[in-house]
Amino acid sequence: MEEKEFIGKRVNLYIKNIKRIKIMATLLENEVKELNEKKKLDYIINKAIESYYSSNEIKELLEL
């Protein structure tokens, strides 16, 4: 089972990024359809962080 840590956080989003999150929620509809709006936001932000962290850009920086 995946270990999860929940921390209090505040995220300020620009209108452009809110629109992007809504698009991502639509694309990930099967994964987030049972979640409320706050949990959808958490899920998508965490998914984006995981994706960015595994990107070549970050991997190259970590090699330094």
Side-chain angles (χ1 to χ4, degrees):
M1 179 180 269
E2 183 180 329
E3 182 180 331
K4 294 185 179 184
E5 180 179 347
F6 295 95
I7 57 173
K9 60 192 168 295
R10 180 176 175 200
V11 178
N12 293 321
L13 298 171
Y14 298 113
I15 299 283
K16 180 168 67 171
N17 289 334
I18 291 172
K19 289 178 183 176
R20 289 174 177 166
I21 287 174
K22 288 181 180 179
I23 291 169
M24 291 172 74
T26 301
L27 295 173
L28 299 171
E29 184 176 351
N30 290 336
E31 296 176 46
V32 299
K33 66 181 170 185
E34 300 296 323
L35 302 176
N36 64 33
E37 290 303 311
K38 183 189 178 308
K39 289 186 179 185
K40 281 182 187 179
L41 177 65
D42 290 344
Y43 181 85
I44 292 170
I45 288 172
N46 284 316
K47 190 98 169 162
I49 290 169
E50 289 173 15
S51 177
Y52 185 67
Y53 191 78
S54 65
S55 71
N56 288 335
E57 179 182 358
I58 294 299
K59 286 180 182 179
E60 289 172 5
L61 289 173
L62 291 172
E63 290 175 358
L64 296 176

